[in-house]
Amino acid sequence: MGSYDPYSFLRRETLENVKWQHVGGAHVDPELLNGGAYYAPVFRYMPGSPEASELIEKRRMRFDHPTRWPDRYEHFVNQELFAREAPFGNMAIYAKCFTFHFAAEAFWRINAGRVRLAFTSLQGLVEALAGADPVGGGVAPKLFVGRVRYMEQSHLRAAILKTQMTPPKAVSSYAAEAVLMKRIGFFHENEIRVFYVGNGPVNEQRSLDIELTDPAPIEDVLIGPYQPPGQEGPLSQHFSYAEVSAAAVKHGIHVSRSAFNLESGRDRRVVV
């Protein structure tokens, strides 16, 4: 990872104009190009089935409209900016979140019952997505990748109000900047958002399924140390883990289970 600090994050007081740079078929946040972040490994914590197994086995990923994100803390921003009557409510915006965090007990507890996919680099992931096609045909919208701007709640509300009072043009670059806002209380997530943005209307399903031309640049599948809520028994026997483990082994991807060491603060791995 070179000199890049994977635990750094961005704090912002205002919604800014991002000077997107066109790199590798995508519009890239210049903050990612400074300090080597764009070339560092990136991770996603996700359900083993169907999300991880679909990506490994079928090369498919689903990107959701912000109003479909399940996190209730995201609900306020999403409803104010991306709901049907909001400034960007009729735009085709479909996003997915990743992180630079590679080992944190808090992450594993929040993501109990999930697996962590390690991608060789953010650059490799973005280039793979830039060459992907929508399932069912058609042309994919513009691809963006940016670091989340963590804002104090008062600053976040001010940015939303300003956007509502003087709505910007409903074009991809303005909407892309709004996708990057998040409350400061979540800075520990150190999040990167990868998203497709089109100037046309959002589809009825409010999601975009894409299919990669080549296998996703995944180098490792790590099973979390905590059981899904309400589950008992060996981790490796849980259906979600079994399916993704089988898919990974079939495609030559390393699989292991995390046995997080609370004393050292590090992951040690146990072969599944």
Side-chain angles (χ1 to χ4, degrees):
M1 282 188 272
S3 60
Y4 176 66
D5 176 9
Y7 291 96
S8 64
F9 69 96
L10 291 182
R11 182 193 301 267
R12 287 292 185 269
E13 295 185 356
T14 59
L15 179 61
E16 61 187 4
N17 293 322
V18 179
K19 297 181 179 180
W20 301 98
Q21 297 187 30
H22 199 261
V23 180
H27 299 272
V28 180
D29 179 356
E31 292 282 359
L32 289 167
L33 300 172
N34 300 327
Y38 189 61
Y39 310 101
V42 69
F43 308 91
R44 178 167 170 82
Y45 296 73
M46 64 179 75
S49 175
E51 187 177 350
S53 55
E54 281 272 304
L55 177 56
I56 295 171
E57 191 69 47
K58 298 182 180 179
R59 303 179 185 175
R60 289 188 176 185
M61 297 181 76
R62 169 163 288 183
F63 290 72
D64 287 320
H65 189 267
T67 54
R68 291 197 62 191
W69 295 353
D71 190 333
R72 63 191 180 95
Y73 293 103
E74 300 275 14
H75 184 73
F76 176 73
V77 177
N78 296 339
Q79 289 299 116
E80 295 297 312
L81 294 180
F82 303 107
R84 295 189 186 277
E85 302 303 321
F88 305 115
N90 197 38
M91 290 190 65
I93 303 171
Y94 310 103
K96 215 166 190 64
C97 302
F98 298 82
T99 179
F100 288 123
H101 270 291
F102 52 84
E105 191 209 359
F107 255 56
W108 280 127
R109 287 188 178 276
I110 292 170
N111 292 284
R114 297 192 169 201
V115 300
R116 189 203 70 188
L117 265 58
F119 297 86
T120 54
S121 68
L122 179 57
Q123 178 190 28
L125 173 63
V126 171
E127 290 179 351
L129 293 172
D133 296 311
V135 174
V139 179
K142 296 177 182 178
L143 180 64
F144 290 80
V145 54
R147 292 196 63 182
V148 165
R149 270 62 168 166
Y150 293 99
M151 303 170 70
E152 298 288 350
Q153 188 163 325
S154 60
H155 298 150
L156 186 60
R157 287 180 178 274
I160 291 173
L161 182 61
K162 180 180 178 181
T163 302
Q164 291 173 328
M165 292 181 65
T166 56
K169 294 180 180 179
V171 295
S172 55
S173 59
Y174 290 107
E177 293 160 9
V179 172
L180 301 180
M181 294 194 300
K182 195 166 185 177
R183 288 197 316 169
I184 191 70
F186 296 92
F187 73 87
H188 62 276
E189 294 176 348
N190 199 5
E191 196 173 307
I192 307 100
R193 289 183 172 168
V194 181
F195 47 101
Y196 292 92
V197 184
N199 294 332
V202 62
N203 64 36
E204 293 183 1
Q205 294 78 24
R206 303 182 84 76
S207 63
L208 174 69
D209 291 311
I210 60 96
E211 185 170 357
L212 304 179
T213 302
D214 298 310
I218 301 167
E219 60 182 0
D220 180 74
V221 175
L222 187 62
I223 295 173
Y226 299 110
Q227 292 279 29
Q231 298 291 331
E232 297 180 357
L235 283 169
S236 59
Q237 293 181 12
H238 190 265
F239 173 78
S240 178
Y241 298 136
E243 185 170 315
V244 70
S245 296
V249 170
K250 176 182 176 181
H251 291 274
I253 299 172
H254 181 260
V255 182
S256 56
R257 178 167 64 85
S258 169
F260 199 87
N261 187 322
L262 299 181
E263 294 182 0
S264 69
R266 295 179 179 274
D267 265 317
R268 56 187 179 86
R269 294 160 183 262
V270 178
V271 177
V272 174

